[in-house]
Amino acid sequence: TKEDQGRPMSLFVSLSRSSGCPLSTMAGLLNPLDSPNHMRIDEDVPYRDGVALDRPTRAGPEGGSLVNCGMRKEVRIDRRLRPGTRVTVRVENSDPNKRCFTGTAVAPAEPREARGIYWGYTVRLASCLGDVFTACPHEGGYDLTIGTSERGKLVDEITLPTFKHLLVVFGGVQGLETSLEADQSLTIDNVSLLFNFYLNTCPDQGSRTIRTEEAILISMSALRSKIMSSGCHQ
């Protein structure tokens, strides 16, 4: 699942084995993302993602939780969490001579904001095409939007302006035009009017359709140089 792909492989295997679940034997079938937040079991890093365990512990007046962070030992944190809760942990003591490691539960954004470490992605569900824009989590919304379509302008012909929050939208098999038709809250007739740029990122594709997961990789590769040239490198 997407949830499992977001977890480091060492954590996923550890959780599967400790729960008696046979999924650990199929862990290799998951895509090997190997992203910076997917640490190896013995990697010495300041942050880890983990899952709270259903085991008692004492840590301060409020108690605490033991967290499986995919390491050799559990990490004891200062907060009591419901078992099974996913949590980002700042590891503060990983002395192998101790019974368990210690750390502090932190916001998932802290690794990125404090250390500049890529820390995965989040998923936001939009009920319709309009909600993609109106339910933006960033204050002020998206200041640059791009729609992708084989009927768009060639990506090679554009230059992107500087931006803070970029949105790139991909349609389904029948394109963004079908998404517009299905959204009763939108009154425009031309879907390209929703975007600052409506681009063909896969010219001469040689196929009637492109799978969305393929279109994302192709499009982001084509847009990378445009994004870097705009001065927005984060």
Side-chain angles (χ1 to χ4, degrees):
T1 67
K2 289 294 184 183
E3 179 71 13
D4 290 328
Q5 284 184 309
R7 292 173 176 157
M9 188 61 70
S10 59
L11 173 60
F12 176 70
V13 173
S14 177
L15 286 171
S16 298
R17 287 174 176 169
S18 63
S19 64
C21 176
L23 286 178
S24 60
T25 61
M26 300 188 296
L29 297 177
L30 294 172
N31 294 330
L33 300 181
D34 204 21
S35 58
N37 61 319
H38 288 198
M39 288 77 180
R40 272 72 170 180
I41 189 170
D42 291 317
E43 193 171 352
D44 185 17
V45 291
Y47 296 96
R48 290 265 182 173
D49 260 347
V51 176
L53 302 175
D54 189 12
R55 289 170 52 191
T57 184
R58 291 181 295 174
E62 300 297 327
S65 298
L66 286 175
V67 179
N68 187 334
C69 290
M71 305 172 74
R72 298 289 179 183
K73 298 180 180 182
E74 286 91 13
V75 180
R76 187 179 69 242
I77 63 172
D78 57 334
R79 294 177 55 189
R80 183 173 297 168
L81 300 177
R82 185 177 69 253
T85 300
R86 181 173 177 173
V87 59
T88 299
V89 176
R90 183 172 62 241
V91 181
E92 296 164 345
N93 189 331
S94 55
D95 185 347
N97 297 317
K98 299 291 186 179
R99 184 173 181 179
C100 62
F101 302 147
T102 58
T104 302
V106 299
E110 182 172 311
R112 175 177 55 82
E113 295 176 348
R115 298 291 189 92
I117 304 172
Y118 172 79
W119 209 250
Y121 56 85
T122 58
V123 177
R124 174 170 64 90
L125 297 179
S127 61
C128 58
L129 181 59
D131 280 356
V132 172
F133 303 91
T134 58
C136 173
H138 306 295
E139 184 177 355
Y142 301 106
D143 52 348
L144 182 60
T145 57
I146 296 175
T148 58
S149 171
E150 62 183 15
R151 289 169 283 278
K153 184 176 182 179
L154 289 180
V155 66
D156 303 328
E157 301 175 359
I158 62 102
T159 299
L160 297 181
T162 300
F163 61 87
K164 292 183 63 177
H165 300 294
L166 168 64
L167 173 69
V168 183
V169 182
F170 300 87
V173 174
Q174 297 179 335
L176 288 170
E177 290 79 8
T178 301
S179 300
L180 174 63
E181 293 175 2
D183 191 340
Q184 301 300 316
S185 66
L186 297 174
T187 58
I188 61 173
D189 296 324
N190 187 343
V191 70
S192 67
L193 298 178
L194 291 173
F195 305 95
N196 300 120
F197 292 92
Y198 199 58
L199 302 178
N200 181 354
T201 55
C202 307
D204 304 318
Q205 64 188 41
S207 174
R208 293 188 183 91
T209 60
I210 299 179
R211 295 170 63 93
T212 302
E213 59 267 33
E214 296 170 345
I216 291 174
L217 295 176
I218 295 170
S219 300
M220 297 312 296
S221 296
L223 288 169
R224 181 182 182 277
S225 61
K226 307 293 183 179
I227 295 172
M228 298 296 287
S229 297
S230 73
C232 299
H233 298 168
Q234 296 183 350

